[in-house]
Amino acid sequence: MSTHAPANTLSVSKSIDASDNGAAHLPSELDSKWRPTASLERLRQRAELLSRLRAFFAQQGLWEVETPVLSTDTVVDRYLDPVPVQPPCASERENFWLQTSPEFGMKRLLAAGAEMIYQVTRAFRQDEAGPLHNPEFTMVEWYCVGDSLERGMQRLADLCVAVLDCQAPTRLTYRDAFLQTLALDPHTASLAELKRCAASANLQVSDSFLSADHDEWLNLLLAERVQPRLGVTAPVIVCDYPASQAALAQIRHDERGTRVASRFELYAQGIELANGYHELLDAAQLQLRQTQANALRQSDGKARLPEDNRLIQAMQHGLPDCCGVALGFDRLAMIALGAQQLSDVLAFPIDRA
Amino acid sequence: MAVYNTSDFRKGLKVQIDGDPYLMIECNFVKPGKGNALYKCRLRNLIRNTVLDRTYKGGDALESADIEEISAQFLYRQGDMFFFMDNSNYEQYELSADQVDDSWKFLRESTVCSMLLFNGNPIGVTPPNHVILKVEYCEPSVKGNTATNVSKPVKVETGAEIMAPAFINQGELIRVDTRTCEYVERVKEY
């Protein structure tokens, strides 16, 4: 079986046109592809929002840093695919990647002694395009040494109120989010229970879900049934994700004795805006998680990512106790400006880039 | 057989599921920051015209469907069978009344339709958006009544009944919108 790009999708015709929108193919529409998709007014408001964000950080005592977008290191995540790049300066054995987040660079600065830093940068993720995704996007990321999980969530809540002029975000555990919507405990539910839950929630899925694991079913339920209800009246911070979804967060036992990740996410109007960790400090643990992530990538049929990176070295030197948060600025702008999709707040989304 | 990966998924793709051809009419990409990509698809069965909602996960694949769209001229009807011809190569195709579905109402001889072929076999036919049909029978028009909001059923040459304004007379030609089955206007010639 060969794979090919869908270049031969049928031209627009009445009988099988998906959109019934023949107008999209008129020359005048094609000609205007040079134009920004967002109005200039929105782009100006977006700039103001960024100023407010920078003012908030300055007032909190954080300073702005810049780390490389192009690096031989990359986050090793089962589901994050970095864009490979071969700059002319690289030797043939070196692989460079566009960063999926500035996490590695910023943590290296923390290990070197920086304490309160933030960055506004571009992040890149392969194959992520849709109304709420653009393969190139603006990420705001910050780290504060000494922040506990609680302090980290509070700082995110303060930022949210300061830039969105909204009600203070409410708090919810990952467990309660599932209990409230699906009457299911995500930490104890068996695979069979997760499948039953999806079936009774009328989720029709592809056959490949037959072999899906716990986390894949949880993600499906979260994305399809739980998330749309999160942060509808006021933004909400969800915390204590399953330990298997810790990524680079510390793992601890919650008050019920369940192993949970000290990880939190901000949602507004059903949209995921930010992801934060009480950061993992143990280099050996990071190595272990990278190995596990690569094993899963391989079983998913994806390429392994390099596990030997400078963050490991920095963590071996010593990363101070801290919280870090990454926020999707384009989505924040969408919420702040009442837009419906990313292209309403981006000058040139990928199809016009 | 060509295969589409989830990263190829988009509106307008023609795929095969359980042996039937489907058109992807919606594809919504959903992905948690830390989690697998989901593709919420809505697919229309091109044979049965039914709609299927299905969520695929990143890494899934669907076989492409060999769908070709041709222009075919309606030749004649024989019982429950409808005969068409591809004017470019004189290839003839026959469709059952089931396959033709409601389109029979607009098929007069030599109407050029768009026809879908799946693996070379016809699976459906779509008449042009507008066709001109002769009114074969209707109640006589009320003299002086030119109001367009009063309508009556008229029987056109294909045997179908269409609602038309009360001033339409037997033997006249009317333009009909095939998508809505509605009268558009009175015309002088085909």
PDB file of all heavy atoms in Angstrom, chain B residues 26-51:
ATOM      1  N   GLU B  26     -16.895  16.842   6.677  1.00  0.00           N
ATOM      2  CA  GLU B  26     -16.367  17.687   7.747  1.00  0.00           C
ATOM      3  C   GLU B  26     -15.200  16.957   8.358  1.00  0.00           C
ATOM      4  O   GLU B  26     -15.215  15.735   8.463  1.00  0.00           O
ATOM      5  CB  GLU B  26     -17.423  17.868   8.842  1.00  0.00           C
ATOM      6  CG  GLU B  26     -18.051  19.232   8.909  1.00  0.00           C
ATOM      7  CD  GLU B  26     -19.139  19.270   9.963  1.00  0.00           C
ATOM      8  OE1 GLU B  26     -18.796  19.100  11.139  1.00  0.00           O
ATOM      9  OE2 GLU B  26     -20.315  19.435   9.591  1.00  0.00           O
ATOM     10  N   CYS B  27     -14.184  17.695   8.755  1.00  0.00           N
ATOM     11  CA  CYS B  27     -13.092  17.079   9.486  1.00  0.00           C
ATOM     12  C   CYS B  27     -12.568  18.099  10.481  1.00  0.00           C
ATOM     13  O   CYS B  27     -12.060  19.144  10.106  1.00  0.00           O
ATOM     14  CB  CYS B  27     -11.975  16.629   8.552  1.00  0.00           C
ATOM     15  SG  CYS B  27     -10.612  15.896   9.466  1.00  0.00           S
ATOM     16  N   ASN B  28     -12.771  17.801  11.733  1.00  0.00           N
ATOM     17  CA  ASN B  28     -12.412  18.727  12.796  1.00  0.00           C
ATOM     18  C   ASN B  28     -11.217  18.189  13.566  1.00  0.00           C
ATOM     19  O   ASN B  28     -11.283  17.115  14.132  1.00  0.00           O
ATOM     20  CB  ASN B  28     -13.614  18.857  13.732  1.00  0.00           C
ATOM     21  CG  ASN B  28     -13.777  20.266  14.198  1.00  0.00           C
ATOM     22  OD1 ASN B  28     -12.791  21.002  14.286  1.00  0.00           O
ATOM     23  ND2 ASN B  28     -15.000  20.648  14.500  1.00  0.00           N
ATOM     24  N   PHE B  29     -10.147  18.956  13.567  1.00  0.00           N
ATOM     25  CA  PHE B  29      -8.932  18.521  14.251  1.00  0.00           C
ATOM     26  C   PHE B  29      -8.993  18.964  15.714  1.00  0.00           C
ATOM     27  O   PHE B  29      -9.201  20.134  16.008  1.00  0.00           O
ATOM     28  CB  PHE B  29      -7.715  19.135  13.564  1.00  0.00           C
ATOM     29  CG  PHE B  29      -6.413  18.835  14.239  1.00  0.00           C
ATOM     30  CD1 PHE B  29      -5.860  17.564  14.171  1.00  0.00           C
ATOM     31  CD2 PHE B  29      -5.740  19.817  14.933  1.00  0.00           C
ATOM     32  CE1 PHE B  29      -4.650  17.287  14.787  1.00  0.00           C
ATOM     33  CE2 PHE B  29      -4.525  19.546  15.553  1.00  0.00           C
ATOM     34  CZ  PHE B  29      -3.988  18.276  15.479  1.00  0.00           C
ATOM     35  N   VAL B  30      -8.846  18.017  16.621  1.00  0.00           N
ATOM     36  CA  VAL B  30      -8.869  18.305  18.052  1.00  0.00           C
ATOM     37  C   VAL B  30      -7.624  17.680  18.666  1.00  0.00           C
ATOM     38  O   VAL B  30      -7.318  16.526  18.389  1.00  0.00           O
ATOM     39  CB  VAL B  30     -10.110  17.674  18.728  1.00  0.00           C
ATOM     40  CG1 VAL B  30     -10.152  18.016  20.206  1.00  0.00           C
ATOM     41  CG2 VAL B  30     -11.377  18.118  18.041  1.00  0.00           C
ATOM     42  N   LYS B  31      -6.902  18.446  19.471  1.00  0.00           N
ATOM     43  CA  LYS B  31      -5.739  17.842  20.113  1.00  0.00           C
ATOM     44  C   LYS B  31      -5.427  18.560  21.410  1.00  0.00           C
ATOM     45  O   LYS B  31      -5.181  19.748  21.418  1.00  0.00           O
ATOM     46  CB  LYS B  31      -4.528  17.917  19.190  1.00  0.00           C
ATOM     47  CG  LYS B  31      -3.316  17.195  19.752  1.00  0.00           C
ATOM     48  CD  LYS B  31      -2.125  17.338  18.825  1.00  0.00           C
ATOM     49  CE  LYS B  31      -0.946  16.528  19.317  1.00  0.00           C
ATOM     50  NZ  LYS B  31      -0.476  16.963  20.643  1.00  0.00           N
ATOM     51  N   PRO B  32      -5.459  17.786  22.499  1.00  0.00           N
ATOM     52  CA  PRO B  32      -5.013  18.388  23.750  1.00  0.00           C
ATOM     53  C   PRO B  32      -3.509  18.649  23.655  1.00  0.00           C
ATOM     54  O   PRO B  32      -2.808  17.934  22.937  1.00  0.00           O
ATOM     55  CB  PRO B  32      -5.303  17.309  24.798  1.00  0.00           C
ATOM     56  CG  PRO B  32      -6.016  16.201  24.105  1.00  0.00           C
ATOM     57  CD  PRO B  32      -5.788  16.361  22.644  1.00  0.00           C
ATOM     58  N   GLY B  33      -3.021  19.664  24.367  1.00  0.00           N
ATOM     59  CA  GLY B  33      -1.601  19.994  24.317  1.00  0.00           C
ATOM     60  C   GLY B  33      -0.743  18.782  24.592  1.00  0.00           C
ATOM     61  O   GLY B  33       0.278  18.567  23.945  1.00  0.00           O
ATOM     62  N   LYS B  34      -1.153  17.987  25.581  1.00  0.00           N
ATOM     63  CA  LYS B  34      -0.437  16.749  25.888  1.00  0.00           C
ATOM     64  C   LYS B  34      -1.402  15.596  25.654  1.00  0.00           C
ATOM     65  O   LYS B  34      -2.102  15.172  26.559  1.00  0.00           O
ATOM     66  CB  LYS B  34       0.013  16.734  27.361  1.00  0.00           C
ATOM     67  CG  LYS B  34       0.881  17.891  27.763  1.00  0.00           C
ATOM     68  CD  LYS B  34       2.297  17.698  27.280  1.00  0.00           C
ATOM     69  CE  LYS B  34       3.069  18.997  27.400  1.00  0.00           C
ATOM     70  NZ  LYS B  34       4.313  18.953  26.619  1.00  0.00           N
ATOM     71  N   GLY B  35      -1.468  15.115  24.462  1.00  0.00           N
ATOM     72  CA  GLY B  35      -2.388  14.021  24.198  1.00  0.00           C
ATOM     73  C   GLY B  35      -2.483  13.760  22.717  1.00  0.00           C
ATOM     74  O   GLY B  35      -1.952  14.529  21.914  1.00  0.00           O
ATOM     75  N   ASN B  36      -3.157  12.651  22.369  1.00  0.00           N
ATOM     76  CA  ASN B  36      -3.201  12.275  20.970  1.00  0.00           C
ATOM     77  C   ASN B  36      -4.145  13.150  20.166  1.00  0.00           C
ATOM     78  O   ASN B  36      -5.135  13.669  20.672  1.00  0.00           O
ATOM     79  CB  ASN B  36      -3.572  10.794  20.818  1.00  0.00           C
ATOM     80  CG  ASN B  36      -4.772  10.414  21.642  1.00  0.00           C
ATOM     81  OD1 ASN B  36      -4.803  10.633  22.839  1.00  0.00           O
ATOM     82  ND2 ASN B  36      -5.778   9.879  20.992  1.00  0.00           N
ATOM     83  N   ALA B  37      -3.818  13.277  18.908  1.00  0.00           N
ATOM     84  CA  ALA B  37      -4.644  14.054  17.992  1.00  0.00           C
ATOM     85  C   ALA B  37      -5.906  13.273  17.665  1.00  0.00           C
ATOM     86  O   ALA B  37      -5.876  12.059  17.507  1.00  0.00           O
ATOM     87  CB  ALA B  37      -3.862  14.347  16.720  1.00  0.00           C
ATOM     88  N   LEU B  38      -7.020  13.983  17.593  1.00  0.00           N
ATOM     89  CA  LEU B  38      -8.290  13.365  17.203  1.00  0.00           C
ATOM     90  C   LEU B  38      -8.823  14.094  15.978  1.00  0.00           C
ATOM     91  O   LEU B  38      -8.672  15.307  15.862  1.00  0.00           O
ATOM     92  CB  LEU B  38      -9.305  13.476  18.350  1.00  0.00           C
ATOM     93  CG  LEU B  38      -8.938  12.794  19.663  1.00  0.00           C
ATOM     94  CD1 LEU B  38      -9.935  13.166  20.742  1.00  0.00           C
ATOM     95  CD2 LEU B  38      -8.902  11.285  19.479  1.00  0.00           C
ATOM     96  N   TYR B  39      -9.411  13.334  15.096  1.00  0.00           N
ATOM     97  CA  TYR B  39     -10.008  13.904  13.895  1.00  0.00           C
ATOM     98  C   TYR B  39     -11.481  13.542  13.903  1.00  0.00           C
ATOM     99  O   TYR B  39     -11.850  12.385  13.687  1.00  0.00           O
ATOM    100  CB  TYR B  39      -9.317  13.350  12.642  1.00  0.00           C
ATOM    101  CG  TYR B  39      -7.859  13.711  12.563  1.00  0.00           C
ATOM    102  CD1 TYR B  39      -6.914  13.019  13.316  1.00  0.00           C
ATOM    103  CD2 TYR B  39      -7.418  14.760  11.760  1.00  0.00           C
ATOM    104  CE1 TYR B  39      -5.573  13.363  13.266  1.00  0.00           C
ATOM    105  CE2 TYR B  39      -6.065  15.112  11.707  1.00  0.00           C
ATOM    106  CZ  TYR B  39      -5.158  14.404  12.458  1.00  0.00           C
ATOM    107  OH  TYR B  39      -3.830  14.744  12.407  1.00  0.00           O
ATOM    108  N   LYS B  40     -12.302  14.532  14.216  1.00  0.00           N
ATOM    109  CA  LYS B  40     -13.742  14.278  14.272  1.00  0.00           C
ATOM    110  C   LYS B  40     -14.301  14.454  12.867  1.00  0.00           C
ATOM    111  O   LYS B  40     -14.367  15.563  12.361  1.00  0.00           O
ATOM    112  CB  LYS B  40     -14.413  15.258  15.237  1.00  0.00           C
ATOM    113  CG  LYS B  40     -13.922  15.085  16.663  1.00  0.00           C
ATOM    114  CD  LYS B  40     -14.381  16.231  17.543  1.00  0.00           C
ATOM    115  CE  LYS B  40     -15.878  16.208  17.749  1.00  0.00           C
ATOM    116  NZ  LYS B  40     -16.247  17.199  18.808  1.00  0.00           N
ATOM    117  N   CYS B  41     -14.675  13.344  12.260  1.00  0.00           N
ATOM    118  CA  CYS B  41     -15.073  13.387  10.854  1.00  0.00           C
ATOM    119  C   CYS B  41     -16.561  13.142  10.686  1.00  0.00           C
ATOM    120  O   CYS B  41     -17.166  12.371  11.434  1.00  0.00           O
ATOM    121  CB  CYS B  41     -14.314  12.343  10.057  1.00  0.00           C
ATOM    122  SG  CYS B  41     -12.545  12.595  10.120  1.00  0.00           S
ATOM    123  N   ARG B  42     -17.106  13.803   9.697  1.00  0.00           N
ATOM    124  CA  ARG B  42     -18.473  13.506   9.251  1.00  0.00           C
ATOM    125  C   ARG B  42     -18.358  13.063   7.805  1.00  0.00           C
ATOM    126  O   ARG B  42     -17.739  13.748   6.984  1.00  0.00           O
ATOM    127  CB  ARG B  42     -19.343  14.754   9.385  1.00  0.00           C
ATOM    128  CG  ARG B  42     -20.749  14.579   8.841  1.00  0.00           C
ATOM    129  CD  ARG B  42     -21.673  15.605   9.425  1.00  0.00           C
ATOM    130  NE  ARG B  42     -21.997  15.271  10.812  1.00  0.00           N
ATOM    131  CZ  ARG B  42     -22.897  15.928  11.534  1.00  0.00           C
ATOM    132  NH1 ARG B  42     -23.525  16.962  11.021  1.00  0.00           N
ATOM    133  NH2 ARG B  42     -23.144  15.571  12.768  1.00  0.00           N
ATOM    134  N   LEU B  43     -18.890  11.884   7.538  1.00  0.00           N
ATOM    135  CA  LEU B  43     -18.720  11.289   6.210  1.00  0.00           C
ATOM    136  C   LEU B  43     -20.074  10.959   5.607  1.00  0.00           C
ATOM    137  O   LEU B  43     -20.965  10.462   6.297  1.00  0.00           O
ATOM    138  CB  LEU B  43     -17.888  10.009   6.344  1.00  0.00           C
ATOM    139  CG  LEU B  43     -16.491  10.197   6.950  1.00  0.00           C
ATOM    140  CD1 LEU B  43     -16.238   9.197   8.060  1.00  0.00           C
ATOM    141  CD2 LEU B  43     -15.437  10.087   5.873  1.00  0.00           C
ATOM    142  N   ARG B  44     -20.205  11.257   4.314  1.00  0.00           N
ATOM    143  CA  ARG B  44     -21.458  10.934   3.635  1.00  0.00           C
ATOM    144  C   ARG B  44     -21.244   9.722   2.743  1.00  0.00           C
ATOM    145  O   ARG B  44     -20.336   9.695   1.915  1.00  0.00           O
ATOM    146  CB  ARG B  44     -21.949  12.119   2.804  1.00  0.00           C
ATOM    147  CG  ARG B  44     -23.292  11.870   2.145  1.00  0.00           C
ATOM    148  CD  ARG B  44     -24.042  13.167   1.870  1.00  0.00           C
ATOM    149  NE  ARG B  44     -23.305  14.070   1.005  1.00  0.00           N
ATOM    150  CZ  ARG B  44     -23.275  13.976  -0.327  1.00  0.00           C
ATOM    151  NH1 ARG B  44     -23.960  13.033  -0.932  1.00  0.00           N
ATOM    152  NH2 ARG B  44     -22.584  14.835  -1.046  1.00  0.00           N
ATOM    153  N   ASN B  45     -22.091   8.727   2.944  1.00  0.00           N
ATOM    154  CA  ASN B  45     -22.042   7.537   2.109  1.00  0.00           C
ATOM    155  C   ASN B  45     -22.558   7.918   0.725  1.00  0.00           C
ATOM    156  O   ASN B  45     -23.691   8.376   0.581  1.00  0.00           O
ATOM    157  CB  ASN B  45     -22.919   6.443   2.735  1.00  0.00           C
ATOM    158  CG  ASN B  45     -22.813   5.130   1.985  1.00  0.00           C
ATOM    159  OD1 ASN B  45     -22.907   5.102   0.757  1.00  0.00           O
ATOM    160  ND2 ASN B  45     -22.615   4.060   2.731  1.00  0.00           N
ATOM    161  N   LEU B  46     -21.711   7.756  -0.278  1.00  0.00           N
ATOM    162  CA  LEU B  46     -22.068   8.228  -1.616  1.00  0.00           C
ATOM    163  C   LEU B  46     -23.063   7.308  -2.315  1.00  0.00           C
ATOM    164  O   LEU B  46     -23.613   7.662  -3.343  1.00  0.00           O
ATOM    165  CB  LEU B  46     -20.806   8.389  -2.472  1.00  0.00           C
ATOM    166  CG  LEU B  46     -19.892   9.554  -2.047  1.00  0.00           C
ATOM    167  CD1 LEU B  46     -18.596   9.540  -2.829  1.00  0.00           C
ATOM    168  CD2 LEU B  46     -20.603  10.884  -2.231  1.00  0.00           C
ATOM    169  N   ILE B  47     -23.287   6.132  -1.771  1.00  0.00           N
ATOM    170  CA  ILE B  47     -24.286   5.242  -2.366  1.00  0.00           C
ATOM    171  C   ILE B  47     -25.621   5.401  -1.657  1.00  0.00           C
ATOM    172  O   ILE B  47     -26.651   5.639  -2.271  1.00  0.00           O
ATOM    173  CB  ILE B  47     -23.820   3.767  -2.302  1.00  0.00           C
ATOM    174  CG1 ILE B  47     -22.601   3.581  -3.211  1.00  0.00           C
ATOM    175  CG2 ILE B  47     -24.951   2.837  -2.713  1.00  0.00           C
ATOM    176  CD1 ILE B  47     -22.001   2.196  -3.183  1.00  0.00           C
ATOM    177  N   ARG B  48     -25.587   5.335  -0.330  1.00  0.00           N
ATOM    178  CA  ARG B  48     -26.840   5.385   0.442  1.00  0.00           C
ATOM    179  C   ARG B  48     -27.250   6.787   0.847  1.00  0.00           C
ATOM    180  O   ARG B  48     -28.351   7.014   1.327  1.00  0.00           O
ATOM    181  CB  ARG B  48     -26.696   4.543   1.705  1.00  0.00           C
ATOM    182  CG  ARG B  48     -26.840   3.067   1.425  1.00  0.00           C
ATOM    183  CD  ARG B  48     -26.597   2.282   2.701  1.00  0.00           C
ATOM    184  NE  ARG B  48     -25.298   1.619   2.637  1.00  0.00           N
ATOM    185  CZ  ARG B  48     -25.097   0.481   1.974  1.00  0.00           C
ATOM    186  NH1 ARG B  48     -26.094  -0.092   1.341  1.00  0.00           N
ATOM    187  NH2 ARG B  48     -23.907  -0.069   1.942  1.00  0.00           N
ATOM    188  N   ASN B  49     -26.286   7.723   0.728  1.00  0.00           N
ATOM    189  CA  ASN B  49     -26.549   9.106   1.093  1.00  0.00           C
ATOM    190  C   ASN B  49     -26.761   9.286   2.597  1.00  0.00           C
ATOM    191  O   ASN B  49     -27.332  10.280   3.039  1.00  0.00           O
ATOM    192  CB  ASN B  49     -27.755   9.653   0.327  1.00  0.00           C
ATOM    193  CG  ASN B  49     -27.449  11.042  -0.179  1.00  0.00           C
ATOM    194  OD1 ASN B  49     -26.282  11.442  -0.231  1.00  0.00           O
ATOM    195  ND2 ASN B  49     -28.483  11.787  -0.512  1.00  0.00           N
ATOM    196  N   THR B  50     -26.336   8.320   3.391  1.00  0.00           N
ATOM    197  CA  THR B  50     -26.457   8.435   4.834  1.00  0.00           C
ATOM    198  C   THR B  50     -25.203   9.127   5.372  1.00  0.00           C
ATOM    199  O   THR B  50     -24.188   9.201   4.694  1.00  0.00           O
ATOM    200  CB  THR B  50     -26.573   7.050   5.487  1.00  0.00           C
ATOM    201  OG1 THR B  50     -25.499   6.234   4.979  1.00  0.00           O
ATOM    202  CG2 THR B  50     -27.889   6.400   5.155  1.00  0.00           C
ATOM    203  N   VAL B  51     -25.299   9.645   6.589  1.00  0.00           N
ATOM    204  CA  VAL B  51     -24.174  10.365   7.179  1.00  0.00           C
ATOM    205  C   VAL B  51     -23.620   9.587   8.368  1.00  0.00           C
ATOM    206  O   VAL B  51     -24.366   9.050   9.175  1.00  0.00           O
ATOM    207  CB  VAL B  51     -24.602  11.791   7.600  1.00  0.00           C
ATOM    208  CG1 VAL B  51     -23.531  12.440   8.466  1.00  0.00           C
ATOM    209  CG2 VAL B  51     -24.852  12.636   6.358  1.00  0.00           C
TER     210      VAL B  51
END
